[in-house]
Every structure is written in C-alpha cells, then in structure tokens.
Amino acid sequence: MSDSSEDRGKRFIRYRVWGGIVAGLLAIALVWQGFELFDDDSRTVPEVRWGVAQDQDGVGIMVNKSLADRTNFQKERFVSGPSPDSNEPRPSALNDRVLFTETTIDEPSDLLTRTWQIPDENTLDMMQPARRVIGTSSLPYVNANLLQRPFARDWRLVIADFTTHLGAISILGFSFLLALFLAVRGRIPISEGKSGRTVKRFSVLERANHWMTALSFIMLALTGIVLSVGVTLFQPFGDRVLGLAGWISTWGHTIFAPSFALGILVMAVLWLRQNLPTRLDLHWLARFGGFLSSQDSTPSARRFNAGQKLIFWSAILGGLIMVATGVSLLFPFYWLDLTGMSWAMMIHAVIGVLLIAIFIGHIYIGTVGMEGGFWAMWDGDVDVNWAAEHHDLWFQEIKNEDRGQPL
Ligand code: HEM
C-alpha cells in the first residue's frame, strides 16, 4: 500500500512531537537524580543506644558526640583515603573509664562464633593479619574500632554513587539527548522514499540469534537495575512488591545469562569478519554517518557501517567482560580474593551501565530513529532505496551477485 507524501509528513511530525514530550519527562527525571546525587541520605549513621542509658555522668553524650564527629568523615565522599581537610574526631576523654560492649554469652552461639573465628582455606586469604593496616583509634566504642580499608571506601563510592546515581544520570541523560535529537532533527527518512522492492539483509539464523541476544540483554538490564536500585523503585509500593521484584530479579539475572553468553558467541562467529575496521570507517565517523543534518548525504558503507561496528564490538567485548565478571560474582571467592571480588563487582556495574546506554542508542536507531531499519531485523528484508542509501557498497555487491535477477 503506497503512502501519500502528506500522510508521511504528518507521521514524521508526530515523531518529533513525541521526541519533545519524552525529552521533557526525561529532563524532570534527570533533575531528580541530580538532586539525589548530592543528597547525603546514603551515609551510614551509627547509633549508640548503650551510651544513652548512662547519661547521668555525661558519658552517653560524649559517646554520641564523638561518633557524630566520626560520621562527618563520611561526608567527604569524593576523597579517597584519609581526608586531611575534615575535622578530626575529638578523642573521648574518658580518663580511667573504658567503654566495653559485652557479648551475650550463651553456649550454642558462642560456639558458633568461635567456629567462625577459625579460618578455613577459603576465608584464610581474607583473614591474613599481615595485610591489615594497624593503628591507634580514638573511638570510644570498641566495636567501632574496625576501620574501613581505603579500597573499601573507593569501592563504596563506585557502587553507591557512581553506578546508582551517576549510572542513572548517564542512562537518563543519554536517553534525553536521543529524545531531543528526535525532536530537533526528526526521524531520518529514506531520502528517495520507499521503492516497494526489497532485498534480503539478514538470514533466519542471524535474526533468531539477534532476538535471543536482545531479549536476554533486556531482561538482564531490567533485573540488574532492580538489583541495584530496586529499593528506591519498589519500596513505595510496599514490602511485598519489593520482595517479589527482588526475588524475580535475583533468579532472572542468572537465568538469562547463558542465552546472552551463547548469543554473543554466535554473533561473533556470524559477523566478526564483516565488522573488522577499515579506512572507510574513519570517513563515516568523521561525517557522523550524515545523520546530523538533513542536507548531508550518507557516507559510503559496506554491510556494516562504522556506527554498527561500534555496536557490534560493544556487544562482543562488553558482553564478554559482563559474562566473566558475572560468573565470578556467582561463585564468590572461588578464584578471586576479596580485592578481586570488589573489582569484579565494580567492573560489572560500570560496564553494565555503559552497555545499557549504548544499547538504548542502538534500539533508538533501529526503531523510531530511522525509517526502514527495523524490518531488516524483523522479516529480514529492506527496501532497495534504504539499502542503496545506507549501505551502497554492500548493495552493489548484492546486485553484482544477483545479476540477471530483478531486485
Ligand atoms: C529492542 C531491541 C533491539 C532492536 C529493536 C534492535 C534492532 C536492530 C536492527 C534493526 C538491526 C539491523 C540494522 C541493520 O539493518 O543494519 C540490528 C542489528 C544489530 N543488533 Fe540489534 N536491536 C535490539 C537489541 C539489540 C541488543 C540488546 C543487542 C546486543 C546485545 C543487539 C545487537 C545487534 C548487533 C551486534 C547488530 C549488528 C550491528 C548493527 O546493525 O548495529 N541488538 N538490531
């Protein structure tokens, strides 16, 4: 069925209006995340109930004051290691008084505690006294004397700030730019319009594998987001909803990993050769594929242009890193020690956020961003005019191979 140019024009305007609306909503979400980033709520504030009971002689107040000073250290969230500029906690001038917290002595749990104290071969590595930094603590509360390792502080910064708030800001920010691009530039049309004749672009195997990988990735991304920021997203709906979302996501995040791993391996086998970089890619990148202006022509490309090659390599290399770190997290301390586990978690989180942003861009261009692209991956065929415009050298090859048969 042919499309009148008036209908086509109206549809293209509708895309731009939707781009504007979505950009507005994303801008609101961005402001909210920006506010959350600088909100101090995620700091751990210790509570000492023991001291409050002793207030007759002022000990409780001193304990609380001293701990409050200590907590102020945590405000220096972007400084790693000891923060020289922050106020030093006041030493608790307790004279001859020493504060102890007493453990409850009851036989079975005491036995259990003792058993935990004896390291087995898996935990031995974590218990090495030689690797600990030993010093003097001014804290008045014995249990608080276990200080944080500097690396643990960096780890917390990456996990608590980077991948939650900054992660959300990157994903929302990138989506905002895409929506803005849609509002300003509009959907990229096929310049010559549709010809009504098609050419085969992807085989059944290529499409089946693409959709298996895509579905797995989307499920991994959604469940991963719930695992990292699920409390913020689901707590308002109550504990039952939060618990259910957490349970589904914990299992889902493992269940969809094997099909994703298989998908990227098959993708590598099918498309690696056509995704090797060539000189043509520099030319394509320098002109940003001709996407930025409607006056610009599309630079030459073979089966995959430079933008698609970047998507391919992100899927393969990023995917391999995610699988390797993910499997390490699934089997804690089997082949990584505490430092290794912390690195695995940070890399998994940071690359995960990057991949989500990259694939939002890919999904955008494969659906609303460009006319005619989606069908390549859905039924395998693309319009001849689309092929000639975006992949001229590949289209020429196909024509040469099929010489004699009408396209
Ligand atoms: C709803 C989600 C997705 C949609 C609508 C989509 C759409 C498409 C389309 C239309 C193409 C073909 C472009 C062409 O004709 O050249 C394509 C190719 C491709 N897709 Fe997807 N895709 C999705 C998700 C994913 C995901 C999650 C991955 C990987 C984890 C992925 C990896 C690839 C790769 C490597 C290619 C070949 C290179 C390229 O064309 O960029 N896709 N996709």
Side-chain angles (χ1 to χ4, degrees):
M1 199 170 63
S2 83
D3 205 7
S4 79
S5 63
E6 199 183 331
D7 287 349
R8 203 160 169 257
K10 275 189 192 153
R11 242 182 315 117
F12 273 76
I13 289 176
R14 235 178 282 146
Y15 278 110
R16 295 177 75 153
V17 172
W18 273 111
I21 294 171
V22 174
L25 293 174
L26 287 167
I28 295 171
L30 263 175
V31 171
W32 167 57
Q33 272 308 307
F35 177 77
E36 288 279 314
L37 178 66
F38 295 104
D39 187 20
D40 279 345
D41 278 352
S42 57
R43 282 181 299 130
T44 317
V45 181
E47 283 180 35
V48 182
R49 294 185 200 288
W50 184 88
V52 178
Q54 310 291 313
D55 266 351
Q56 310 92 320
D57 52 9
V59 173
I61 293 166
M62 274 165 34
V63 168
N64 282 333
K65 172 78 178 84
S66 191
L67 280 168
D69 286 344
R70 172 72 200 165
T71 304
N72 284 338
F73 264 155
Q74 295 190 35
K75 279 189 179 154
E76 313 285 315
R77 289 197 296 179
F78 296 96
V79 181
S80 132
S83 42
D85 299 333
S86 59
N87 296 331
E88 272 204 44
R90 284 177 336 114
S92 55
L94 292 175
N95 304 330
D96 54 340
R97 234 189 303 251
V98 181
L99 297 179
F100 286 110
T101 47
E102 294 209 351
T103 49
T104 358
I105 310 288
D106 78 65
E107 277 302 314
S109 70
D110 193 37
L111 191 68
L112 200 62
T113 319
R114 277 172 213 279
T115 320
W116 283 345
Q117 280 173 350
I118 304 165
D120 59 21
E121 58 175 22
N122 291 329
T123 47
L124 193 64
D125 200 35
M126 286 186 283
M127 311 285 281
Q128 298 275 344
R131 295 208 192 154
R132 291 186 172 175
V133 179
I134 298 175
T136 313
S137 154
S138 62
L139 295 175
Y141 179 53
V142 174
N143 285 9
N145 280 344
L146 184 63
L147 298 177
Q148 204 178 35
R149 294 170 304 134
F151 181 65
R153 191 171 161 154
D154 298 341
W155 174 86
R156 195 185 56 174
L157 178 74
V158 172
I159 296 294
D161 283 331
F162 222 80
T163 54
T164 50
H165 300 313
L166 284 185
I169 286 175
S170 342
I171 291 171
L172 290 170
F174 189 58
S175 310
F176 167 76
L177 290 179
L178 287 174
L180 202 64
F181 183 70
L182 182 63
V184 175
R185 164 75 165 93
R187 190 179 207 210
I188 296 165
I190 303 174
S191 310
E192 303 281 311
K194 286 187 183 163
S195 71
R197 287 170 300 139
T198 58
V199 57
K200 176 66 69 207
R201 180 145 170 84
F202 290 114
S203 71
V204 175
L205 174 64
E206 286 175 315
R207 280 177 284 145
N209 185 60
H210 172 269
W211 289 119
M212 177 184 77
T213 319
L215 183 71
S216 311
F217 179 87
I218 290 167
M219 295 313 288
L220 286 168
L222 292 178
T223 52
I225 287 172
V226 175
L227 292 179
S228 13
V229 292
V231 175
T232 313
L233 294 177
F234 290 102
Q235 187 83 82
F237 303 103
D239 288 348
R240 281 188 77 84
V241 177
L242 176 64
L244 188 67
W247 181 79
I248 292 175
S249 301
T250 311
W251 281 103
H253 207 66
T254 309
I255 287 169
F256 285 99
S259 48
F260 174 72
L262 177 68
I264 52 170
L265 287 182
V266 176
M267 252 181 203
V269 172
L270 290 174
W271 291 337
L272 193 121
R273 204 174 50 83
Q274 293 149 329
N275 276 290
L276 293 174
T278 65
R279 201 178 285 272
L280 210 59
D281 298 328
L282 293 177
H283 184 61
W284 193 96
L285 284 175
R287 292 187 44 208
F288 207 75
F291 290 161
L292 294 183
S293 153
S294 52
Q295 315 303 325
D296 213 356
S297 64
T298 312
S300 275
R302 295 204 168 80
R303 192 176 187 211
F304 294 116
N305 60 40
Q308 292 173 312
K309 288 181 184 178
L310 288 175
I311 294 289
F312 171 84
W313 286 109
S314 307
I316 304 299
L317 299 178
L320 285 178
I321 294 174
M322 291 306 278
V323 172
T325 48
V327 172
S328 304
L329 293 172
L330 204 57
F331 298 99
F333 301 109
Y334 270 70
W335 49 84
L336 294 180
D337 60 5
L338 185 60
T339 309
M341 286 296 294
S342 309
W343 273 108
M345 208 169 174
M346 287 193 292
I347 294 171
H348 197 78
V350 172
I351 302 286
V353 166
L354 274 178
L355 286 184
I356 291 175
I358 290 173
F359 281 99
I360 286 176
H362 171 71
I363 293 168
Y364 167 80
I365 204 79
T367 52
V368 288
M370 178 188 279
E371 185 183 17
F374 180 77
W375 299 107
M377 214 26 108
W378 193 251
D379 58 20
D381 300 327
V382 282
D383 194 274
V384 162
N385 285 353
W386 182 92
E389 185 173 350
H390 294 288
H391 299 274
D392 54 343
L393 300 175
W394 168 75
F395 182 57
Q396 200 54 51
E397 270 173 40
I398 301 277
K399 273 209 300 200
N400 293 345
E401 280 169 18
D402 286 357
R403 221 190 316 256
Q405 295 178 24
L407 278 170

